[in-house]
Amino acid sequence: MVQKNKYVSAQETRAHATREKLLKAAVSLVNQYGMKYLTVRNICDEAGLSTGSFYNLFSGKDDLIMYYLRYVFLEYKDQAIQEAENHNSLEKCLLIYRYYIRCCKEVGVEFVSALYAANTNPVFDFLDRNPEEALILDRVGEYIEEGKAKGEIRADVPTDVAMLRIATITTGSIFYWCTFKGDFDLAYQADDLMETYLRSIATNPNISIDLKELPREGKFSQY
Amino acid sequence: MDRKNKYVSVQETRAQITRDKLLKAAVDIVNKYGMKHFTVRNICDEAGLSTGSFYNLFESKDELVSYYLKYVFLSYKEKATQEAEPYNSIEKCLLIYRYYVACCKKAGLEFMSAVYAANTNPVFNFMDRTSDEELVLDRVREYIEEGKASGELRSDVGTDQILLNIASIVTGSIFYWCVFEGDVDIAYQVDNLLKTYLLTLAVDPALAVDLKELPHEGRFAVN
C-alpha cells in the first residue's frame, strides 16, 4: 500500500478511518463472541455503520480478514526486510516467514483459520493477483531471484515453482496449526520444512544457514 | 471399517442403505448443480429422505464429505497397498499418495475444495481420531515405522513429526491446486516435494527411488 504521492485526499482519509472502525469492530467481535459471530451485519452493528459503507470498502468478510492480516503484517514486514539485509537468500526467505508466523500468532488462530479455510479466495492466487495484494510472496520471489543471480540458488529452478513449493509448505503448516487449534510450534515446523526444501534448490546444499534456533513446544515437540 | 464380528444386524444393513442413498444424492447434487447447492436439505430432497435420517447417520455435511472421500479412496487404497509390496518405505509413501491424488482428481475439484476448506474438520486431526476414520495416514504411519525398523529411515525423528510434515506437504499442495482451479499438476508437485522431504529422512541419502516418472503439465510445468 504505497502511496504514489504524499497528498491524500479527504475522501481517502475518510475511507481509511471507516476501514479502521470496521476492523476494530471485527476484532472486538471475535474476541468477545468468537468467529461464529463475525458476520458483515454484526460488524456493521458493532461499528455503528451501514452495510453499504462496508461493501464500499470490502468485497466481503474474507476481504476484511485479509486486510487485517496485511495490516498487522505491514509492520513486521519492514522489520523482516531490515533484519534480512545481511543474510543470504535462503536465510532471507526463512526470516521473512518467521515474521509472518509471528504475525499469524498475533492475529490469532481463529482469524487465521477463517482465512485459510477459503482456498477459493483469489488472494491466494499469487500468480494473478494485483501486486498491491501481495503479502509476502512478492518479497520471497525477489529473494529467490536474488539467490539465483548470486549463484546461491540453482538457476534451473523456475521462480514460480519455488514460490509454489514455499507457499505449499507454509500454507500446509498453517492449515494443521488450525486443525490442532494452535497446539504446535508452527514457527519451528514451517522453518524446518522450508529449510529442507531451500537446501534442495541451493547450489551448495550444505550452505551455512545461520539463524537463531527456534524453541520447540506443543504437540509434536517430544523429538 | 473392520467389523468386530460377521453378524450384521438388520438395523445396520438399513443404515448402510440409507448412507449409500445419501452419498449418491450428494454426488448427484455436486455434479449437477455445483458445490453451492450442496446443503443437507438439498441432499435429503434429492434422496427422498428426511433431514432426520441424515442426522441419524452423519453429524454434518463435513462428515458426509469425508465419508465420501473415504468411500472413493477405498478401492484405490487396496490397489496402492498391493502395488507397494516390493518397494522400499519411501517409494511406498510416494505410491500411496499418487493413488490419493488420483482419487482427489476423481472426486473433483469442487468437492475437494469443500473438503480442504474445513481446516477445523476433525477429519484432519490425525493425532486424535480413531483408526476407523483414517484415510491415508494410517498406512503411511506403518510405512514409516517399517522403514525405521528396516534401517532405511533415521530412527531419531519422531513418527508423528514426520506425519505432520508429510500431511503439510500434501494438504498445502491440494490447497494450491484448489486456488489455481486445477491448473497445477498436483500429482507431480506432491510427488516431487514429498520425495525431497523423505530423502532427508533416509539413512542413505542416495537411496534409489525407482518409480515411474510422472508427466509434468499445467501452469507450473517447466519448459
Side-chain angles (χ1 to χ4, degrees):
Chain A
M1 271 190 264
V2 185
Q3 221 70 61
K4 286 217 181 60
N5 58 51
K6 273 185 281 180
Y7 305 101
V8 179
S9 70
Q11 208 179 3
E12 224 166 295
T13 322
R14 217 176 303 133
H16 190 69
T18 311
R19 243 186 237 115
E20 301 274 287
K21 253 192 214 167
L22 289 167
L23 200 58
K24 208 167 149 259
V27 174
S28 95
L29 211 57
V30 172
N31 289 342
Q32 278 179 67
Y33 308 106
M35 208 62 204
K36 258 194 235 155
Y37 291 85
L38 189 75
T39 61
V40 173
R41 159 87 11 242
N42 287 346
I43 296 168
C44 294
D45 283 354
E46 178 86 15
L49 291 163
S50 69
T51 52
S53 44
F54 182 97
Y55 285 111
N56 269 339
L57 295 166
F58 298 107
S59 64
K61 204 171 66 176
D62 286 348
D63 199 27
L64 175 85
I65 294 176
M66 196 60 214
Y67 176 81
Y68 179 40
L69 200 65
R70 204 177 294 127
Y71 178 89
V72 174
F73 187 56
L74 216 60
E75 217 174 292
Y76 284 110
K77 198 173 179 178
D78 282 338
Q79 237 175 301
I81 292 168
Q82 263 181 16
E83 197 181 323
E85 201 69 46
N86 303 314
H87 289 275
N88 68 38
S89 52
L90 282 71
E91 290 165 335
K92 277 181 180 157
C93 292
L94 292 167
L95 257 178
I96 198 166
Y97 274 107
R98 287 185 175 195
Y99 277 100
Y100 181 66
I101 280 164
R102 218 186 283 173
C103 156
C104 287
K105 282 185 175 170
E106 189 185 316
V107 169
V109 75
E110 289 235 38
F111 267 108
V112 174
S113 289
L115 182 67
Y116 279 82
N119 54 30
T120 49
N121 189 338
V123 83
F124 286 109
D125 181 344
F126 58 84
L127 290 182
D128 302 315
R129 71 183 162 204
N130 139 5
E132 257 203 7
E133 286 179 345
L135 196 63
I136 183 166
L137 275 168
D138 57 333
R139 196 42 66 120
V140 173
E142 283 169 34
Y143 291 154
I144 302 279
E145 294 284 349
E146 194 187 302
K148 284 192 199 173
K150 287 201 291 185
E152 285 163 3
I153 293 175
R154 277 168 26 220
D156 64 327
V157 178
T159 305
D160 277 2
V161 174
M163 283 164 75
L164 177 66
R165 298 280 161 91
I166 290 174
T168 296
I169 289 170
T170 20
T171 303
S173 304
I174 293 175
F175 188 98
Y176 283 95
W177 183 62
C178 298
T179 301
F180 293 112
K181 302 197 171 73
D183 186 22
F184 72 78
D185 41 0
L186 175 61
Y188 176 87
Q189 173 63 30
D191 197 76
D192 198 54
L193 197 49
M194 202 177 323
E195 184 180 323
T196 302
Y197 170 65
L198 289 171
R199 282 189 188 282
S200 80
I201 60 169
T203 318
N204 168 17
N206 298 317
I207 184 171
S208 112
I209 289 185
D210 194 17
L211 294 176
K212 211 174 68 197
E213 286 262 336
L214 289 170
R216 302 231 45 192
E217 65 203 359
K219 209 150 186 160
F220 295 90
S221 58
Q222 57 270 50
Y223 290 91
Chain B
M1 278 204 248
D2 278 324
R3 294 248 185 253
K4 288 222 177 57
N5 57 53
K6 274 185 281 182
Y7 304 102
V8 179
S9 68
V10 179
Q11 209 179 3
E12 221 167 296
T13 320
R14 217 179 298 137
Q16 192 54 47
I17 293 171
T18 311
R19 235 183 248 121
D20 287 344
K21 261 193 207 164
L22 289 167
L23 203 57
K24 197 174 162 293
V27 175
D28 284 347
I29 294 263
V30 174
N31 289 340
K32 270 197 252 171
Y33 309 106
M35 213 60 207
K36 253 195 233 157
H37 296 267
F38 189 67
T39 61
V40 173
R41 157 90 10 244
N42 287 345
I43 296 167
C44 293
D45 282 354
E46 179 84 17
L49 290 163
S50 68
T51 51
S53 42
F54 180 97
Y55 287 112
N56 268 340
L57 294 166
F58 298 106
E59 235 171 71
S60 65
K61 206 168 68 174
D62 281 351
E63 206 190 309
L64 178 78
V65 167
S66 52
Y67 178 79
Y68 173 70
L69 201 62
K70 222 177 299 153
Y71 177 87
V72 176
F73 189 56
L74 219 61
S75 61
Y76 285 95
K77 197 173 183 178
E78 254 167 62
K79 249 189 276 176
T81 310
Q82 264 178 15
E83 197 182 323
E85 200 69 47
Y87 287 101
N88 68 40
S89 51
I90 290 183
E91 291 164 330
K92 278 182 179 151
C93 292
L94 292 172
L95 258 177
I96 197 165
Y97 277 110
R98 287 183 175 197
Y99 278 98
Y100 182 66
V101 168
C103 162
C104 293
K105 282 184 171 172
K106 168 124 193 275
L109 189 65
E110 286 247 24
F111 217 89
M112 294 312 296
S113 290
V115 178
Y116 281 84
N119 53 31
T120 48
N121 188 336
V123 80
F124 287 110
N125 184 343
F126 60 84
M127 295 291 280
D128 300 321
R129 68 187 163 200
T130 64
S131 56
D132 247 22
E133 290 174 338
E134 288 290 1
L135 198 62
V136 192
L137 278 169
D138 59 333
R139 200 47 62 94
V140 175
R141 184 185 288 276
E142 282 169 31
Y143 293 154
I144 300 288
E145 295 287 354
E146 198 185 298
K148 283 185 181 179
S150 68
E152 277 163 13
L153 301 181
R154 278 164 41 203
S155 51
D156 62 329
V157 188
T159 303
D160 287 341
Q161 175 69 55
I162 296 173
L163 291 180
L164 177 64
N165 282 332
I166 293 176
S168 295
I169 289 172
V170 177
T171 301
S173 302
I174 294 176
F175 189 96
Y176 282 96
W177 181 63
C178 298
V179 169
F180 291 110
E181 283 161 3
D183 193 18
V184 175
D185 43 357
I186 173 87
Y188 179 86
Q189 294 299 337
V190 169
D191 198 71
N192 212 258
L193 193 49
L194 264 185
K195 187 168 135 188
T196 303
Y197 171 64
L198 289 170
L199 283 174
T200 66
L201 301 173
V203 174
D204 168 18
L207 184 74
V209 174
D210 195 17
L211 294 176
K212 207 175 67 192
E213 284 268 333
L214 288 173
H216 199 173
E217 67 205 359
R219 198 140 191 187
F220 294 89
V222 204
N223 306 320

